[in-house]
Amino acid sequence: MHFTFTSEQRLDDGVLEREFILGEIPGTLWTPESAAPAPLILMSHNNGLPKGDSRLVARARLSAAYGYAVATIDGAGCGDRPRSAAADQARADLRRAMQAGEPVDEIFESLVGPLVEGAVPDWRTTLDALLALPEIGGPVGYAGWTALGIRLAAIEPRIAAAGFFAGGYVPRAQREEARQVTIPLLFLLQWDDEGNPRQRALDLFDAFGTKEKTLHANTGGHLGTPGFEREDGDRFFARHLK
């Protein structure tokens, strides 16, 4: 599959930001100022949000300045890729059900299950291409969307550590796969997250098969994760990727 950088700019913090296209997959790569190959972090946002989301970009730039190569892509039906009418309808149904206080499990399964299945091959293809670049070396970390991260951590041996966000609503298949996750894990939980039931998140943390897992819980809603968690995340990856 053909890999091409389509643009690049040097940012104020010295990080090099480059857009790329890999077949039909658009992505962004941030790399630090360093002569040595940098460890790689795959950074995924939750389903439906674009790779250019400001919170993801801020996290990626901080991690790149810390010494990592960081990459993200738009999943199928997200960002710059063609939209999926079925996924958009499922998102609308999910929002309506949550606002009305109705059960959402089956709607969630119909939306997120296929998104995970479709995203995994794109991320593995991207990983193949990025590890072939001379400025990137192993090992590899993953940070972000929990459902996708569980599947990748369970099947992709090149991923050595992972940081997951939230996790109250995760498809049944990934809840089962969590028992197969044996790499070091940092799990972030917002205690008052309106979109991720706390007990489900705690049950998921219990289910992970790894012997080295850390739970960081902070008060506040879904968007209230404290800024210092980004720095703590980089220190977590430093223990396992550097």
Side-chain angles (χ1 to χ4, degrees):
M1 191 176 293
H2 188 61
F3 180 93
T4 304
F5 285 113
T6 58
S7 69
E8 70 172 60
Q9 61 174 327
R10 181 70 65 177
L11 305 176
D12 292 343
D13 51 11
V15 169
L16 181 63
E17 179 183 271
R18 288 175 286 178
E19 300 294 323
F20 65 82
I21 190 78
L22 176 60
E24 298 179 351
I25 307 167
T28 308
L29 175 66
W30 295 266
T31 48
E33 286 187 304
S34 172
L40 175 65
I41 297 176
L42 304 177
M43 193 168 285
S44 170
H45 218 314
N46 282 3
N47 59 86
L49 292 176
K51 63 182 175 61
D53 180 86
S54 59
R55 288 175 294 151
L56 184 147
V57 171
R59 291 201 310 271
R61 287 185 59 175
L62 183 69
S63 294
Y66 201 87
Y68 303 104
V70 184
T72 189
I73 63 173
D74 279 333
C78 303
D80 293 333
R81 300 180 73 174
R83 303 293 295 185
S84 161
D88 286 345
Q89 183 60 54
R91 289 189 185 97
D93 292 342
L94 183 63
R95 286 192 296 269
R96 179 197 56 76
M98 293 182 73
Q99 290 168 358
E102 298 172 357
V104 299
D105 288 69
E106 294 310 316
I107 301 174
F108 186 84
E109 290 283 340
S110 70
L111 169 64
V112 179
L115 286 176
V116 171
E117 294 296 333
V120 166
D122 285 352
W123 278 98
R124 299 187 84 180
T125 297
T126 301
L127 180 58
D128 290 340
L130 293 176
L131 288 179
L133 297 175
E135 63 267 38
I136 295 177
V140 179
Y142 171 91
W145 181 19
T146 300
L148 172 63
I150 291 172
R151 168 61 61 84
L152 286 174
I155 67 172
E156 179 49 74
R158 292 173 291 184
I159 294 178
F164 296 152
F165 304 159
Y169 281 117
V170 169
R172 287 186 285 267
Q174 276 67 68
R175 288 186 170 274
E176 289 300 316
E177 286 176 324
R179 305 179 193 286
Q180 303 171 32
V181 174
T182 57
I183 59 176
L185 177 66
L186 174 64
F187 192 72
L188 299 185
L189 170 64
Q190 284 302 102
W191 203 247
D192 309 301
D193 191 335
E194 60 279 6
N196 283 278
R198 181 191 308 163
Q199 190 57 53
R200 288 193 182 202
L202 294 173
D203 291 343
L204 179 62
F205 181 75
D206 256 348
F208 287 116
T210 180
K211 301 300 183 184
E212 186 174 345
K213 52 185 174 181
T214 301
L215 172 67
H216 283 192
N218 292 282
T219 57
H222 187 68
L223 300 180
T225 303
F228 61 74
E229 288 291 2
R230 290 184 294 188
E231 297 175 1
D232 284 353
D234 286 330
R235 285 191 287 269
F236 163 79
F237 283 119
R239 293 195 295 273
H240 302 292
L241 303 186
K242 289 189 174 182

